[in-house]
């Protein structure tokens, strides 16, 4: 049972679950028989990394673990904290373990990917000794952002954005707690779409609406009123709806069609409408790979650079890098040859049998493998004329040349196509030569 609501507490804190059964969403790890649920029920806490987007319950789950195991809960923000905070956490954990109650300690590190290698390493000896249980929360892929040594000592749980039904449950919960007045169904749908899987964003928005509704003495929150209070952005940007996907389609097709003005227009339309610039950056990377490809390999690097610049500068300064990128992608030569080759190769592999690797291409790290002729007859290309072993074969035996990759006559692929023609000509000549090894 929840304690009475305290008026000065933020709504997100007032509605924070006090026990596992109150958690909304994440049933793929918290449902009956699921891994994180089993960890709770075992009575034995273990170190873990909670990986997921903002507002999906990472901090809540960490706090619930502390409650479930009657553990001291120490929270560290990697954005604001440092080695001093880690040292203080160690001292508090030692005091709790050595006290009369011998209490366990859970150290929760929010945004753990913000800590550098040495800061992350500072946790290792204490995790290994069992002084405390480490829980890290991150919005970034821990494979890249968390030290391998720390990662190997922690289970990784992937948390998902909350579904529309999950978010509607949160709205209903807020109403049951009398945190906001009656609300029109269309307004709920709009707020859920605006939250985009982020419970914290939804709760903060509901709190804003609740205060505004109280000032105007409204009996019901309507969709039209929500648009008026929260601004033009709520009306123009139907995130996750048909308009959103139509607009991103228009942007992609404008880039593909080499129209820089149209591409820039649709980019700005989406940013002005509330699209997450990080999402836009990901889409630009996709366009560079799919529609520009090897006609201009610099495009992919430029798209990645634009994404990194936005991460460094944020809005609005970082959005200029996205604009630069979208114009470059629009005006540069286009090729979908890599995209088509990849899809053709995938289709072939799915339909074809599992062909054995030819003996001359196999690795032979042991004496037995060498005796079995692994690697026998392989020609080392660097030792051949021009660095190319003319006539050598690299496909499985009996497999015809599939011709997956067909470069177009645009941009750098003009030179790539010429290079491939030359190499194929040398292969043909070598195959016709009876003295070819």
């Amino acid at each position: 049972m929840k304690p009475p609501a305290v008026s000065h507490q933020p709504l997100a804190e007032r509605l924070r679950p006090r026990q596992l059964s109150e958690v909304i969403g994440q049933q793929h790890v918290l449902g009956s028989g699921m891994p994180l649920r089993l960890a709770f029920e075992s009575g034995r806490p273990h170190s873990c990394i909670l990986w997921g987007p903002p507002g999906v319950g990472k901090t809540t789950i960490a706090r619930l673990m502390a409650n479930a195991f009657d553990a001291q809960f120490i929270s560290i923000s990697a954005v604001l904290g440092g080695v001093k905070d880690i040292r203080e956490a160690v001292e508090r954990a030692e005091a709790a373990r050595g006290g009369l109650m011998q209490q366990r300690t859970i150290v929760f590190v929010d945004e753990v990917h913000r800590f550098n290698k040495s800061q992350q390493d500072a946790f290792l000896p204490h995790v290994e000794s069992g002084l405390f249980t480490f829980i890290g929360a991150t919005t970034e892929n821990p494979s890249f952002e968390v030290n391998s040594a720390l990662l190997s000592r922690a289970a990784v749980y992937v948390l998902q954005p909350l579904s529309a039904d999950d978010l509607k449950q949160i709205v209903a919960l807020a109403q049951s707690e009398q945190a906001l007045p009656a609300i029109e169904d269309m307004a709920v749908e709009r707020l859920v779409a605006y939250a985009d899987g982020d419970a914290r964003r939804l709760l903060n928005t509901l709190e804003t609406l609740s205060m505004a509704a109280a000032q105007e003495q409204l009996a019901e929150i309507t969709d039209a009123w929500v648009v008026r209070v929260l601004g033009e952005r709520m009306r123009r940007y139907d995130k996750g709806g048909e308009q959103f996907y139509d607009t991103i389609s228009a942007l992609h097709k404008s880039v593909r069609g080499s129209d820089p003005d149209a591409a820039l227009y649709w980019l700005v339309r989406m940013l002005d409408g509330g699209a997450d610039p990080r999402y836009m950056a990901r889409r630009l990377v996709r366009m560079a790979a799919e529609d520009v490809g090897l006609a201009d390999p610099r495009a992919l690097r430029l798209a990645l650079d634009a994404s990194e610049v936005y991460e460094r500068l944020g809005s609005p300064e970082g959005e200029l890098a996205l604009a630069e990128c979208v114009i470059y992608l629009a005006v540069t030569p286009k090729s979908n040859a890599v995209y088509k080759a990849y899809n053709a190769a995938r289709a072939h592999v799915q339909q074809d049998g599992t062909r054995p690797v030819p003996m001359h291409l196999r690795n032979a790290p042991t004496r037995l493998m060498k005796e079995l002729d692994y690697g026998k007859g392989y020609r080392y290309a660097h030792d051949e004329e021009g660095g190319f072993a003319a006539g050598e074969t690299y496909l499985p035996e009996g497999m015809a040349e599939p011709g997956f990759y067909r470069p177009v006559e645009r941009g750098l692929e003009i030179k790539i196509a010429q290079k491939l023609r030359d190499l194929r000509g040398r292969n043909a000549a070598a195959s016709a030569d009876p003295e070819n090894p």
Side-chain angles (χ1 to χ4, degrees), residues 359-376 378:
M359 294 298 289
H360 69 287
L361 297 182
R362 298 188 187 188
N363 190 29
T366 69
R367 179 178 177 181
L368 174 62
M369 289 178 171
K370 292 176 182 177
E371 291 174 351
L372 293 174
D373 290 341
Y374 278 42
K376 184 177 181 180
Y378 169 66

Side-chain angles (χ1 to χ4, degrees), residues 20 59 77 145 152-153 160 164 186 206 215 226 230 263 308 317 326 345 368 388 417 429:
L20 198 61
T59 302
S77 169
E145 304 295 341
S152 68
R153 292 161 175 80
Q160 303 293 343
M186 285 187 63
L206 290 176
Q215 289 177 351
V226 167
L230 296 180
E308 183 178 344
E317 293 88 348
V326 82
L368 174 62
F388 179 67

Side-chain angles (χ1 to χ4, degrees), residues 301-342:
R301 182 64 259 172
L302 184 69
L304 291 169
D305 285 345
S307 178
E308 183 178 344
V309 168
Y310 180 81
E311 291 294 339
R312 294 278 183 97
L313 297 182
S315 293
E317 293 88 348
E319 291 167 6
L320 181 60
L322 303 183
E324 178 181 338
C325 177
V326 82
I327 290 173
Y328 185 90
L329 294 181
V331 300
T332 200
K334 307 293 187 301
S335 171
N336 67 346
V338 171
Y339 177 69
K340 291 172 68 177
Y342 173 68

Side-chain angles (χ1 to χ4, degrees), residues 412-431:
L412 181 63
E413 284 199 319
I414 295 174
K415 293 185 177 180
I416 293 175
Q418 181 59 51
K419 174 74 172 180
L420 290 177
R421 285 192 289 269
D422 292 345
L423 295 179
R424 287 166 184 157
R426 291 178 63 184
N427 276 335
S431 299

Side-chain angles (χ1 to χ4, degrees), residues 183-398:
I183 184 167
E184 197 176 68
D185 288 345
M186 285 187 63
V188 173
E189 294 289 344
R190 185 178 296 277
L191 291 169
V192 165
Y194 180 68
D196 192 30
D198 185 333
R200 186 184 301 113
R201 186 178 190 186
L202 174 64
L203 288 166
N204 290 341
T205 305
L206 290 176
E207 190 160 31
T208 300
L209 292 176
S210 177
M211 290 187 291
Q215 289 177 351
E216 297 187 25
Q217 298 182 337
L218 292 182
E220 182 182 41
I221 293 175
T222 66
D223 184 51
W225 184 81
V226 167
V227 172
R228 181 169 65 83
V229 171
L230 296 180
E232 188 73 4
R233 174 171 296 185
M234 290 290 288
R235 179 180 67 80
R236 283 167 32 196
Y237 181 51
D238 177 22
K239 192 168 189 180
E242 183 177 354
Q243 181 185 356
F244 172 80
Y245 292 109
D246 284 348
T247 310
I248 192 64
S249 175
L251 170 61
H252 199 147
K253 289 170 181 171
S254 298
V255 167
R256 183 181 295 148
S258 299
D259 188 329
D261 286 343
L264 186 59
Y265 168 77
W266 292 117
L267 173 72
V268 174
R269 268 278 300 271
M270 295 201 74
L271 293 174
D272 181 65
D276 184 350
R278 294 177 180 83
Y279 171 80
M280 302 307 300
R282 292 195 297 272
R283 295 298 305 193
L284 295 178
V285 172
R286 167 71 188 211
M287 293 174 204
E290 178 179 340
D291 289 297
V292 177
L294 290 177
D296 184 356
R298 297 169 298 182
L300 185 57
R301 182 64 259 172
L302 184 69
L304 291 169
D305 285 345
S307 178
E308 183 178 344
V309 168
Y310 180 81
E311 291 294 339
R312 294 278 183 97
L313 297 182
S315 293
E317 293 88 348
E319 291 167 6
L320 181 60
L322 303 183
E324 178 181 338
C325 177
V326 82
I327 290 173
Y328 185 90
L329 294 181
V331 300
T332 200
K334 307 293 187 301
S335 171
N336 67 346
V338 171
Y339 177 69
K340 291 172 68 177
Y342 173 68
N343 288 334
R346 285 188 63 191
H348 179 89
V349 169
Q350 288 171 0
Q351 296 170 6
D352 196 33
T354 304
R355 299 173 183 263
V357 176
M359 294 298 289
H360 69 287
L361 297 182
R362 298 188 187 188
N363 190 29
T366 69
R367 179 178 177 181
L368 174 62
M369 289 178 171
K370 292 176 182 177
E371 291 174 351
L372 293 174
D373 290 341
Y374 278 42
K376 184 177 181 180
Y378 169 66
R379 295 165 60 194
Y380 189 58
H382 293 291
D383 291 341
E384 304 273 342
E385 182 182 353
F388 179 67
E392 180 66 290
T393 58
Y394 299 98
L395 288 168
E397 294 178 8

Side-chain angles (χ1 to χ4, degrees), residues 17-20 23 40 59-69:
R18 303 300 195 266
Q19 54 191 24
L20 198 61
V23 175
F40 273 85
T59 302
T60 293
I61 291 172
R63 289 184 180 276
L64 288 175
M65 288 184 74
N67 293 340
F69 303 124

Side-chain angles (χ1 to χ4, degrees), residues 91 102 150 260:
E91 292 171 355
Q102 295 188 341
L150 185 57

